[in-house]
Amino acid sequence: MKEQLHHIKTSDNENIALWKLSPINDLKKHIFLTHGAFSNRKTFTGITTFLCERGYTCWIMEWRNHGESSKSTKKFNLETVANYDMQSTFQYLFKTIKLDRIDCIAHSGGGIALTMFLIHNPTYKSKINTISLFAVQAFGAGTKFENKAKLRLGKYLAAMLGRIPAKIAGSVENSESYYTIKQWFNWNLNNNFIGENDINYLEKMQTIKIPIYSICCRGDKLLAPKKGCEQYLNAFKNNENRLYFCSTDTGSLEDYNHSRVILSQNAKRELYPLVLKWITE
């Protein structure tokens, strides 16, 4: 497997790291991946190795202020990632590299950003074969009273500190600013998906008819609980979409948590093959 780093310049002058992982036996099939908050390309170490071994070329985009992307001094949120980082990256993939079609894999906030990007840039929808989401939801984490209380407390503490320390989030990446995460707190507390300029993403999600495979897990009780992932997937209103819930009660190897669902040996054994099957079928 060969690794190459491409630097993409956004329209607001940030440098975005785009990693190309090329297999020895290239099938000429390409997969785009992007991570969530408190993360970088290492989130996908397991699944990209798995896919490259099977002939797929993987392209991993790291958000601004993450991994090898530029350390931004400007405030940014998930919409910034969608409208600048992702927009410039897709333009590079399809206009400079001249890819024909791709499949997409996203974890957590990366899936939210991908959704917003496709709503703002509908011409790219025809270029995506499938989407696979790991622990992705935007507005359904506060349906239980206990969760809503935790979200309110989390938002209050983040506002007081101005950031969420990476160690608290269980990550070695940079801490996230309150500004970056504020939208996510508000969406889940208000059970809506309204962005800047009052755009209602929830209403527009049904315009995305790309087949989506959403994986959620029993151990992810707050960030992406089953109810939230289910609501998010249902908002696309596509009967082809599928939700897979990981639980030892139903035969899964473990209940998984928010990170292990994408980066663990058990995920490699039972979840990566499911994603590959979704892509190939």
Side-chain angles (χ1 to χ4, degrees):
M1 185 172 67
K2 184 171 69 172
E3 182 178 88
Q4 292 178 316
L5 174 58
H6 297 239
H7 285 290
I8 314 299
K9 178 73 75 173
T10 67
S11 59
D12 65 342
N13 294 314
E14 297 289 350
N15 286 309
I16 300 304
L18 179 65
W19 297 86
K20 180 184 180 183
L21 304 179
S22 304
I24 296 173
N25 300 312
D26 190 354
L27 294 177
K28 305 300 181 185
K29 293 185 178 181
H30 298 262
I31 298 178
F32 169 79
L33 305 95
T34 193
H35 57 79
F38 307 101
S39 304
N40 55 37
R41 74 184 187 282
K42 294 178 182 178
T43 296
F44 298 114
T45 298
I47 196 166
T48 51
T49 300
F50 175 87
L51 292 168
C52 284
E53 287 173 349
R54 287 153 181 80
Y56 290 84
T57 296
C58 296
W59 299 84
I60 309 174
M61 186 199 83
E62 293 184 302
W63 299 5
R64 60 185 63 199
N65 212 42
H66 293 71
E68 296 301 316
S69 292
S70 58
K71 306 308 176 188
S72 179
T73 59
K74 301 185 289 287
K75 289 182 177 180
F76 71 93
N77 55 26
L78 288 172
E79 281 187 284
T80 312
V81 173
N83 294 329
Y84 292 92
D85 304 6
M86 204 166 285
Q87 198 279 336
S88 298
T89 299
F90 268 66
Q91 184 175 22
Y92 180 79
L93 289 173
F94 289 107
K95 294 185 179 180
T96 302
I97 302 297
K98 298 188 183 302
L99 299 186
D100 182 27
R101 296 178 67 84
I102 60 172
D103 293 88
C104 293
I105 297 174
H107 176 243
S108 192
I112 301 172
L114 179 62
T115 300
M116 293 189 289
F117 164 75
L118 290 173
I119 288 171
H120 284 290
N121 299 271
T123 56
Y124 286 107
K125 291 187 289 189
S126 63
K127 297 181 178 296
I128 300 175
N129 299 314
T130 68
I131 295 174
S132 297
L133 302 177
F134 283 84
V136 175
Q137 73 83 32
F139 44 82
T143 55
K144 293 183 178 180
F145 176 80
E146 180 183 358
N147 277 10
K148 182 159 285 190
K150 289 179 180 178
L151 290 170
R152 290 190 186 282
L153 177 60
K155 181 185 177 184
Y156 172 77
L157 293 175
M160 290 289 290
L161 292 172
R163 63 190 177 91
I164 300 178
K167 288 185 178 180
I168 292 178
S171 171
V172 296
E173 247 292 353
N174 294 336
S175 300
E176 298 289 1
S177 73
Y178 171 63
Y179 184 85
T180 299
I181 305 299
K182 181 181 177 181
Q183 280 183 316
W184 184 86
F185 277 123
N186 288 339
W187 292 332
N188 283 284
L189 287 169
N190 299 319
N191 195 222
N192 65 30
F193 194 15
I194 297 175
E196 296 171 348
N197 300 318
D198 294 326
I199 180 170
N200 193 325
Y201 290 111
L202 181 55
E203 290 183 353
K204 296 179 181 296
M205 286 174 70
Q206 62 186 302
T207 64
I208 300 173
K209 297 304 181 185
I210 302 162
I212 299 172
Y213 191 65
S214 176
I215 299 174
C216 58
C217 44
R218 185 179 181 183
D220 195 347
K221 298 182 182 300
L222 179 62
L223 298 179
K226 180 184 178 182
K227 184 68 173 179
C229 294
E230 195 170 39
Q231 287 183 353
Y232 195 83
L233 188 65
N234 288 343
F236 292 104
K237 297 184 179 181
N238 184 354
N239 291 331
E240 292 185 34
N241 293 346
R242 294 291 180 267
L243 182 76
Y244 184 80
F245 178 57
C246 305
S247 169
T248 53
D249 289 344
T250 56
S252 298
L253 293 176
E254 64 174 277
D255 289 336
Y256 296 103
N257 58 27
H258 196 67
S259 59
R260 287 187 60 80
V261 72
I262 183 65
L263 188 58
S264 67
Q265 286 300 309
N266 279 341
K268 178 181 179 180
R269 281 190 283 269
E270 70 173 338
L271 301 183
Y272 299 173
L274 293 177
V275 170
L276 181 60
K277 183 179 180 182
W278 185 254
I279 291 170
T280 54
E281 293 184 356

